Each structure stands twice: as structure tokens, then as C-alpha cells.
Amino acid sequence: AQSVAQPEDQVNVAEGNPLTVKCTYSVSGNPYLFWYVQYPNRGLQFLLKYITGDNLVKGSYGFEAEFNKSQTSFHLKKPSALVSDSALYFCAVSRGANNLFFGTGTRLTVIP
Amino acid sequence: DAGVIQSPRHEVTEMGQEVTLRCKPISGHDYLFWYRQTMMRGLELLIYFNNNVPIDDSGMPEDRFSAKMPNASFSTLKIQPSEPRDSAVYFCASILGTGGGGSPFFGPGTRLTVL
């Protein structure tokens, strides 16, 4: 079975500072890993994914994530946070099928 | 394309009533997913279809829940009878399957409140 853990329910960061939202996964075989963002009263929007290749993946809105196989992690990062980045972030995993299993989400608040 | 369309956007009903949620996937997509989002459990996959056929319904919480996909452009999720603990946001998502690794497109969700 596959699972995803987002150990932090809430992350606060000052505007302009780097941000990290953590994700660890458990899956047999090679994982497909995803990050989605959810703004209030909206559906989930795709940010980036790792399938294979370079461990550093770049996505939308200046976000990037690093796949670390030994630590089974896929942390989301951004060098300089914006107030508009404040939202709910979800990490997800699949085993190659098209159905994703999501973490419980991390609420990011960027403080002006 | 208008994206994944869900209706209604909000539904308030009383316990015991039947509730039907509707989804129109993106044209050409062959996978459709139903997810439920609650504060306690986060995002849960309820069921998904491939080419209108249910593939995995192991996430459907109980027999009160049923889902159908009569054609490639329409799916329903029905709860009968509804209970207060069914209150949640229900998302539909679709994708064109490419052997895995695709990122589904999500609809705006239906916020269900059962009184």
C-alpha cells in the first residue's frame, strides 16, 4: 500500500524568506510524486511532479521539490515566499497507476 | 475547455435525504476520480473509473454511497440516506491516462452539509 505523510499541519514563514513544506512517502517500487495547492473555496491545482530523472523538479509559481530516495522524501521549496503563496498544500503519491493518494495537507501562511 | 465541472457547488440537506452530486470531466479524459475532503481525514479517494468502468471502489465508505458513470461525459455520486457525518467537500477529477504518472485535473468541488 502507498501512503504519504505531511508532518506539519501549519507552516509560517516571513515574506521574502525561503519556505519548505515537508513530505515523506511510503510505496513499493518506484514512486510517482506530486504537489498540489488549494486556495480557499477552490479545487486543487497541480504544481509539479516527479516521475523519473533529475531529482530536483521545478514547477509552477517558482516552486521546486527535491526527490530523495534514501530519505523517502519529496519536500516542496521556494527561495522567496510571497504572501500570495498562502494556501493549503498537498503531497501525493502513486505507484504508476493514475490514482493518487494524498497527504493530509499543510497550511502555509506567509506573513507580510 | 471549461475544465472539470461539478454541480451543485453547495448542497444543504437534511439527514435521511438522498443527495446526488454530478461531474462532467474534461472532454477526452478516460479516467475519472471522486475524492472527499474533510478536516479530520484530509483527501480520500472514494472511487475511480476508467473508460466509464469502475476500477476501484474500495474507498467508498459504506453501502449508502454509490457512483455511476453512464457515459464518458457524466458521472454521479449518490448518498442515500445521507447522514451528518457525510458533510464534506466532494471533488471530481479527470485525466487522460498515459500509463501512469499523470496529474489529474480537479473540479471546484461540491460542499455538502447534512443537517
Side-chain angles (χ1 to χ4, degrees):
Chain A
Q2 54 268 330
S3 65
V4 172
Q6 293 183 242
E8 301 159 317
D9 292 335
Q10 173 83 40
V11 170
N12 297 326
V13 63
E15 185 178 23
N17 282 3
L19 68 87
T20 299
V21 182
K22 296 180 180 177
C23 172
T24 59
Y25 65 90
S26 174
V27 66
S28 58
N30 295 320
Y32 294 176
L33 295 158
F34 304 79
W35 277 101
Y36 279 79
V37 60
Q38 183 181 30
Y39 296 100
N41 301 313
R42 303 285 294 276
L44 278 71
Q45 298 178 33
F46 170 75
L47 277 180
L48 52 81
K49 66 182 177 184
Y50 171 82
I51 304 300
T52 186
D54 193 347
N55 289 344
L56 184 64
V57 179
K58 294 187 182 296
S60 307
Y61 313 120
F63 285 93
E64 59 187 28
E66 185 167 11
F67 171 63
N68 188 317
K69 188 172 184 177
S70 63
Q71 297 185 4
T72 62
S73 68
F74 190 58
H75 301 331
L76 181 71
K77 299 181 180 182
K78 188 174 182 180
S80 178
L82 301 173
V83 173
S84 57
D85 293 330
S86 298
L88 190 57
Y89 290 80
F90 289 94
C91 183
V93 66
S94 75
R95 285 185 300 174
N98 289 292
N99 52 320
L100 273 59
F101 290 86
F102 285 84
T104 51
T106 299
R107 185 165 299 281
L108 172 68
T109 300
V110 180
I111 303 165
Chain B
D1 200 312
V4 176
I5 299 172
Q6 291 187 249
S7 64
R9 293 293 309 276
H10 302 272
E11 177 79 32
V12 180
T13 190
E14 293 187 347
M15 182 174 62
Q17 297 297 306
E18 177 180 296
V19 175
T20 299
L21 311 182
R22 297 172 175 80
C23 175
K24 176 179 170 55
I26 292 174
S27 177
H29 283 187
D30 56 351
Y31 282 82
L32 183 141
F33 308 85
W34 283 101
Y35 285 88
R36 178 172 67 175
Q37 184 179 27
T38 61
M39 290 291 290
M40 293 296 293
R41 301 172 69 90
L43 267 167
E44 304 172 275
L45 176 65
L46 300 178
I47 185 172
Y48 77 95
F49 297 83
N50 178 220
N51 291 322
N52 314 336
V53 177
I55 302 301
D56 184 353
D57 65 354
S58 60
M60 296 286 262
E62 28 189 298
D63 292 345
R64 296 184 297 106
F65 286 70
S66 62
K68 294 181 179 180
M69 192 165 185
N71 57 63
S73 59
F74 184 65
S75 176
T76 60
L77 178 66
K78 184 178 295 186
I79 308 172
Q80 167 63 18
S82 59
E83 297 182 3
R85 59 193 169 119
D86 301 331
S87 298
V89 181
Y90 291 81
F91 288 103
C92 178
S94 71
I95 189 173
L96 176 61
T98 55
S103 49
F105 291 82
F106 281 76
T110 295
R111 182 174 296 276
L112 174 64
T113 302
V114 183
L115 302 174

